[in-house]
């Protein structure tokens, strides 16, 4: 009986098996016309593979099984940041104990507010950390995130956002808005407490005039410009006339819950 497989998928499957195991496409196609295509992996001896081909099929099956198990564990252990409270507690756990230096971090989220990755982008002495928007932009594009939460600590203990805190937040909001990536909060951590700019309603709206990739110090006495060695891909992206890209509006006041 002829199997009614989707032609595009079955062709891709056969080509993949051919590339990974060395079994000819013609042999696989002939078998698939009258038999279950998955038998090639589940009962490989029925197509009489050579010893090297059989070993590769076993390796492929082991890889598929391991991938499925790891994927299940990942789904069970996903961290969801869908409120300012959860975001604040998350960053307090990582930044609350740091008293000798200022550390700037960003968490990249998928469409379900699951953490894709959390990364440190700057770490310096007290009040002297410098943030490079290019690095955050590259990381966001690499992981194909939908939203971002920024965070840094105040070693001095103040929870109030500084002028520099507001400046870097507005700068990053403005950079990501044309790319349909939302900066949904900026968490400031001091000891075991936190300040959420979104929760307080002072998360800035995007501004075309504030699109800049210049390095931003968290200390107003340390204005610097980014030096050489930038990423070529980002250099090209920076050259794009962002003023011609429509900014996607962002509410001035953020709800405590971010669930979509």
């Amino acid at each position: 009986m002829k199997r009614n497989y989707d032609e595009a998928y079955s062709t891709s499957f056969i080509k993949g098996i051919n590339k990974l195991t060395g079994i000819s496409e013609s042999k696989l196609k002939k078998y698939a016309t009258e038999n279950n295509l998955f038998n090639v992996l589940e009962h490989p001896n029925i197509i009489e593979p050579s010893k090297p081909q059989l070993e590769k099929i076993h390796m492929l099956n082991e890889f598929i099984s391991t991938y499925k198990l790891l994927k299940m564990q990942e789904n069970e252990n996903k961290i969801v940041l869908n409120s300012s409270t959860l975001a604040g507690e998350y960053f307090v756990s990582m930044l609350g104990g740091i008293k000798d230096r200022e550390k700037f971090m960003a968490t990249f989220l998928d469409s379900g507010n699951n953490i894709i990755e959390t990364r440190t982008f700057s770490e310096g002495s007290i009040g002297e950390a410098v943030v490079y928007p290019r690095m955050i932009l590259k990381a966001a594009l690499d992981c194909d995130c939908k939203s971002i939460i920024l965070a840094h600590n105040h070693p001095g203990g103040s929870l109030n956002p500084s002028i520099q805190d507001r400046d870097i937040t507005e700068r990053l909001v403005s950079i990501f808005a044309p790319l349909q990536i939302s900066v949904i909060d900026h968490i400031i951590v001091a000891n075991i407490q936190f300040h959420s700019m979104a929760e307080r309603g002072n998360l800035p709206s995007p501004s075309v005039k504030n699109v800049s990739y210049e390095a931003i110090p968290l200390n107003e006495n340390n204005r610097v410009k980014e030096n050489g060695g930038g990423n070529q891909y980002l250099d090209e992206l920076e050259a794009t006339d962002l003023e011609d890209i429509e900014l996607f509006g962002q509410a001035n006041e953020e709800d405590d819950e971010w669930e979509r």
Side-chain angles (χ1 to χ4, degrees):
M1 185 176 94
K2 184 176 178 58
R3 299 284 174 171
N4 294 318
Y5 294 113
D6 180 279
E7 184 175 352
Y9 290 137
S10 62
T11 299
S12 178
F13 181 85
I14 288 171
K15 286 184 176 181
I17 296 296
N18 165 250
K19 293 290 185 182
L20 293 170
T21 67
I23 300 173
S24 70
E25 286 190 42
S26 59
K27 186 176 184 179
L28 292 168
K29 287 178 180 178
K30 181 179 180 181
Y31 181 82
T33 57
E34 299 293 339
N35 301 282
N36 188 330
L37 195 52
F38 292 108
N39 286 340
V40 175
L41 294 179
E42 295 171 358
H43 308 283
N45 285 315
I46 61 177
I47 57 170
E48 299 179 348
S50 65
K51 185 176 180 180
Q53 290 172 345
L54 184 60
E55 289 176 351
K56 289 178 180 178
I57 291 174
H58 289 330
M59 290 177 62
L60 180 57
N61 279 326
E62 185 176 350
F63 172 81
I64 293 171
S65 297
T66 304
Y67 173 82
K68 288 179 178 178
L69 289 171
L70 290 175
K71 194 67 176 177
M72 289 173 62
Q73 292 178 11
E74 180 194 24
N75 291 334
E76 292 173 359
N77 297 321
K78 276 186 176 179
I79 300 176
V80 182
L81 299 183
N82 55 15
S83 74
S84 57
T85 299
L86 289 174
E89 292 173 350
Y90 175 74
F91 283 109
V92 164
S93 69
M94 290 187 288
L95 296 171
I98 301 176
K99 306 286 179 61
D100 61 339
R101 63 194 184 282
E102 201 157 356
K103 189 173 182 179
F104 189 95
M105 307 180 73
T107 288
F108 305 100
L109 308 175
D110 63 19
S111 58
N113 290 318
N114 301 295
I115 293 179
I116 300 172
E117 182 182 8
T118 297
R119 191 180 298 186
T120 298
F121 287 95
S122 179
E123 191 167 2
S125 58
I126 296 177
E128 293 186 354
V130 178
V131 178
Y132 294 90
R134 287 171 178 261
M135 295 172 62
I136 301 175
L137 174 59
K138 183 179 185 304
L141 295 177
D142 285 345
C143 67
D144 193 27
C145 71
K146 297 300 180 183
S147 58
I148 303 170
I149 301 175
L150 309 172
H152 76 284
N153 65 310
H154 280 178
S158 172
L159 283 173
N160 296 321
S162 67
I163 294 174
Q164 287 69 42
D165 295 341
R166 297 177 187 276
D167 181 33
I168 190 172
T169 306
E170 183 177 353
R171 188 90 66 86
L172 290 169
V173 166
S174 301
I175 287 172
F176 284 107
L179 305 175
Q180 299 184 359
I181 299 174
S182 302
V183 177
I184 58 177
D185 208 344
H186 189 160
I187 302 292
I188 298 169
V189 174
N191 299 316
I192 59 173
Q193 296 181 303
F194 68 89
H195 171 101
S196 163
M197 294 181 70
E199 187 177 40
R200 300 296 179 90
N202 53 16
L203 195 67
S205 299
S207 169
V208 175
K209 295 180 180 179
N210 207 15
V211 174
S212 170
Y213 300 93
E214 180 180 325
I216 311 168
L218 295 180
N219 180 349
E220 63 180 348
N221 299 320
N222 190 26
R223 282 282 167 193
V224 297
K225 285 192 175 182
E226 191 170 5
N227 54 23
N231 182 277
Q232 181 179 357
Y233 173 74
L234 293 175
D235 290 339
E236 295 173 358
L237 181 61
E238 181 182 1
T240 303
D241 186 3
L242 291 178
E243 294 187 7
D244 291 337
I245 302 178
E246 179 183 358
L247 287 176
F248 291 81
Q250 180 169 332
N252 291 326
E253 295 186 1
E254 298 284 342
D255 293 331
D256 184 54
E257 295 296 327
W258 301 324
E259 288 189 273
R260 292 173 173 82

